[in-house]
Amino acid sequence: MPIWAYDGRMARAATTSDVFNAIAEPQRRGILGVLRGGERAVGELARELGMSQPGASKHLRVLREVGLVRDRQVGKQRLYGLDARGLRPVHEWVGGFEEFWNESFGRLDAYVQELKQERQED
């Protein structure tokens, strides 16, 4: 069975060990989206995303453990920033579907052109 297949019998990988599982959680994707705009303190993230500070901290810990978020101390505050290098496995996996989508859109475009041609002939 391919590694990406799920038959209901395999145990799910721990969220903290796999970037795919980590970003499957919508609030974590929200955090990554906010961090695209620059570093934030946990309190700022929590307010922007409407979550509790402990909840935001928990999500940040998971994202940090899978390599998607880095942190640094600035005075008394800890700032969190995006480390997009951790998304490389996702980018590579999704990129594998590019040929499929290009072919699909190519067929759709050919069909639309065919319909336009038939209309012009009528």
Side-chain angles (χ1 to χ4, degrees):
M1 175 184 306
I3 194 166
W4 47 265
Y6 179 72
D7 67 0
R9 294 178 293 164
M10 298 184 324
R12 192 168 161 200
T15 304
T16 57
S17 68
D18 181 271
V19 68
F20 290 93
N21 285 327
I23 65 171
E25 212 292 322
Q27 289 181 313
R28 292 188 196 127
R29 290 193 309 269
I31 289 171
L32 294 175
V34 170
L35 292 178
R36 274 192 310 214
E39 293 180 322
R40 299 282 198 295
V42 67
E44 292 177 76
L45 283 167
R47 278 189 302 279
E48 285 187 53
L49 296 168
M51 64 175 69
S52 69
Q53 189 164 336
S57 292
K58 180 181 171 185
H59 289 306
L60 284 165
R61 180 183 50 79
V62 171
L63 293 169
R64 192 176 59 241
E65 287 175 2
V66 298
L68 294 175
V69 168
R70 57 179 160 52
D71 63 322
R72 66 185 181 99
Q73 195 74 33
V74 178
K76 293 182 179 182
Q77 199 172 43
R78 182 171 300 280
L79 296 179
Y80 294 86
L82 178 64
D83 188 350
R85 294 175 298 180
L87 289 170
R88 180 166 292 287
V90 176
H91 174 73
E92 290 171 354
W93 185 79
V94 170
F97 292 94
E98 186 174 2
E99 184 178 339
F100 167 79
W101 287 110
N102 286 339
E103 289 175 6
S104 297
F105 289 131
R107 287 191 305 272
L108 179 60
D109 185 51
Y111 179 68
V112 168
Q113 296 304 322
E114 183 180 313
L115 289 176
K116 284 182 181 179
Q117 183 69 30
E118 286 175 6
R119 251 195 193 147
Q120 288 176 351
E121 291 173 0
D122 288 340

